[in-house]
């Protein structure tokens, strides 16, 4: 998410169009404001830590506050059972393929590099949903995981904003 509240709100509105039972967030809150926004989501959110989360104490307090719809795990990875599917979540790509190779999971989700991707290791899906922030790739995206069919669809958000512009790239080059 990387503090892109504009795209986060677009995502939270877009996800209402799907039969989503849980949002899985793969790290990089950047600040407690993002946590507060996720805590008010109509769909429950489960998050793992990334490498750019900001004040973890404040984020944890937000997740634990009354009425919060945000749950934060204890590490940069976690395991969930959803609809009979074993799901491994991690912020780091380095953990994704070894966990998929273990044969213990139906799907492995990872983030960190912001590159949307769907791969398969044996029968395990390995998925990076991309980024909500659109600051690295210029495209805001997310994934919908169908637990019934063990299938994933990557979805690009529309009407998003990004700091990856021609002007910003020229500035960085100079």
């Amino acid at each position: 998410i990387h503090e892109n509240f504009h795209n986060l709100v677009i995502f939270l509105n877009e996800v209402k169009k799907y039969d989503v039972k849980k949002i899985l967030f793969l790290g990089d809150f950047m600040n407690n404001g993002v946590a507060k926004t996720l805590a008010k989501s109509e769909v429950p959110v489960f998050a793992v830590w990334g490498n750019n989360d900001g004040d973890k104490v404040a984020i944890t307090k937000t997740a634990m506050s009354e009425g919060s719809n945000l749950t934060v795990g204890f590490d940069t990875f976690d395991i969930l059972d959803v609809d009979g599917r074993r799901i491994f979540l991690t912020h780091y790509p380095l953990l994704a393929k070894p966990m998929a190779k273990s044969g213990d999971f139906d799907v492995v989700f990872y983030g960190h590099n912001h590159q949307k991707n769907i791969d398969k290791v044996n029968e395990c899906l390995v998925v990076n949903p991309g980024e909500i922030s659109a600051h690295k790739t210029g495209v805001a995206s997310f994934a919908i995981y169908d637990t019934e069919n063990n299938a994933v669809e990557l979805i690009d958000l529309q009407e998003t904003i990004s700091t990856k512009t021609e002007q910003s790239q020229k500035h960085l080059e100079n």
Side-chain angles (χ1 to χ4, degrees):
I1 294 171
H2 281 269
E3 293 184 303
N4 191 325
F5 289 94
H6 174 84
N7 292 2
L8 177 56
V9 170
I10 288 173
F11 162 73
L12 290 172
N13 286 326
E14 182 70 18
V15 83
K16 292 177 190 176
K17 297 176 183 176
Y18 301 88
D19 184 26
V20 173
K21 295 177 185 154
K22 187 179 293 278
I23 295 170
L24 306 176
F25 174 54
L26 303 170
D28 291 349
F29 286 93
M30 294 297 284
N31 66 51
N32 192 37
V34 169
K36 287 179 179 180
T37 303
L38 292 172
K40 293 179 190 262
S41 169
E42 292 177 24
V43 178
V45 179
F46 183 85
V48 294
W49 296 112
N51 62 306
N52 287 301
D53 289 309
D55 187 343
K56 290 183 177 181
V57 172
I59 292 167
T60 301
K61 284 182 179 180
T62 295
M64 296 176 69
S65 65
E66 186 174 333
S68 171
N69 225 358
L70 171 64
T71 303
V72 180
F74 296 112
D75 212 327
T76 58
F77 65 90
D78 216 320
I79 298 168
L80 296 176
D81 288 299
V82 179
D83 296 337
R85 296 287 183 181
R86 294 271 295 164
I87 302 170
F88 185 84
L89 307 174
T90 182
H91 182 70
Y92 294 106
L94 186 63
L95 292 176
K97 289 215 174 162
M99 296 313 290
K101 286 179 183 177
S102 75
D104 293 338
F105 304 100
D106 295 291
V107 63
V108 172
F109 288 99
Y110 69 97
H112 187 62
N113 67 12
H114 303 247
Q115 302 294 319
K116 62 183 175 179
N117 186 56
I118 300 174
D119 202 359
K120 201 165 191 181
V121 174
N122 299 321
E123 295 303 311
C124 181
L125 292 168
V126 182
V127 181
N128 185 330
E131 59 179 346
I132 295 295
S133 66
H135 79 279
K136 280 199 170 186
T137 65
V139 176
S141 63
F142 66 99
I144 298 284
Y145 175 56
D146 179 347
T147 55
E148 186 175 325
N149 299 310
N150 196 36
V152 175
E153 177 184 3
L154 295 175
I155 299 168
D156 292 345
L157 290 169
Q158 304 301 311
E159 300 181 28
T160 60
I161 59 173
S162 173
T163 57
K164 186 178 174 99
T165 63
E166 187 176 318
Q167 185 177 7
S168 68
Q169 294 299 347
K170 284 181 183 177
H171 176 75
L172 291 173
E173 290 169 8
N174 295 327

